[in-house]
Each structure stands twice: as C-alpha cells, then as structure tokens.
Amino acid sequence: MPTLFTKIMRGDIPGDIVYQDRYCVAIKDIAPQAPVHLLIIPRTEISGVSAVEKTGDHQYLLNAARNIAEEMGIEGYRLVINQGEAAGQTVPHLHMHFLAGRDLSWPPG
Ligand code: 5GP
C-alpha cells in the first residue's frame, strides 16, 4: 500500500509539488506553520529516520533543501524531521519540513 506521500508524488491524489530531483520531491504542507512550509520527501518509501540505511535517497534531502532555498531566494530557514509519535511524526514516510518566511523561535515546542 503506497504511503500518502507516494500517492501525492505519483499524482494519484492532489498535492502542490514545488521541487523535484532524481531523489527527492518537495510539496507544500497542507497545514502550513510558516509562510513557507514545504515537505521534502525521498522518493523511496522509508518509514522514518530510524529506518534509514547507509545509502539511499534520504542522503539527498539536504541537497534538495539547499537547491530549494537557492531557487526561492531564501537565506534563513529551518529544517525539521520528526521521528516517531513522541516527536509528532504523523506520516510514516520520511520527510523533512522546510520552514521559512517568519522569525522562528528557539527552542521549538
Ligand atoms: P509529521 O507530523 O509527520 O512530521 O508531518 C506530516 C506533515 O504532513 C504535517 O505537517 C501535515 O500538515 C502534512 N500533511 C498531512 N496530510 C497531508 C496531505 O494530504 N497533503 C499535504 N500536502 N500535506 C499533508
């Protein structure tokens, strides 16, 4: 059974795809927490950080973030990965939040 994000990446269900490369796809979050809130998702279905292998599409998440920032002309941004329910992960397909467009406080909640 494909994950929600795989269905969006394939175009089976609607999603606002803003970036794609060989390894990763970025979509707009459906419930944005900042003026810019993207989800950068490896094409491979990896359930989360705890399941990553030594090599794979997940290695390119940071490259995708850098490319997106350059393309969008964004200098400051925050990257977040929630691993597991205790951290707030709700979709079991590894994804990195890309947040920008407002001041971001620290520490996060
Ligand atoms: P997590 O909580 O797992 O770290 O992040 C999952 C994110 O996926 C949430 O920020 C949530 O708003 C987003 N999300 C959930 N369902 C959908 C959807 O159908 N489309 C899009 N674009 N984002 C979604």
Side-chain angles (χ1 to χ4, degrees):
M1 179 76 173
T3 67
L4 170 67
F5 291 155
T6 294
K7 288 179 189 168
I8 292 175
M9 288 191 279
R10 287 181 185 167
D12 294 342
I13 62 173
D16 210 339
I17 295 175
V18 297
Y19 171 88
Q20 301 196 55
D21 64 29
R22 184 173 164 187
Y23 313 100
C24 304
V25 173
I27 63 172
K28 289 186 182 175
D29 196 292
I30 201 168
Q33 301 301 310
V36 179
H37 186 174
L38 308 177
L39 303 173
I40 308 175
I41 307 158
R43 290 184 183 276
T44 309
E45 287 189 347
I46 305 161
S47 61
V49 171
S50 63
V52 297
E53 299 190 358
K54 282 188 178 171
T55 60
D57 290 353
H58 59 279
Q59 293 178 280
Y60 299 92
L61 288 168
L62 293 180
N63 298 66
R66 183 204 58 211
N67 292 340
I68 290 166
E70 283 179 7
E71 286 178 9
M72 297 181 74
I74 295 172
E75 280 187 19
Y77 50 93
R78 180 170 295 167
L79 303 174
V80 175
I81 298 177
N82 297 321
Q83 165 56 46
E85 278 182 35
Q89 183 178 8
T90 57
V91 179
H93 183 151
L94 178 65
H95 53 283
M96 188 166 69
H97 297 257
F98 180 111
L99 296 148
R102 66 170 171 84
D103 289 337
L104 297 164
S105 60
W106 191 263

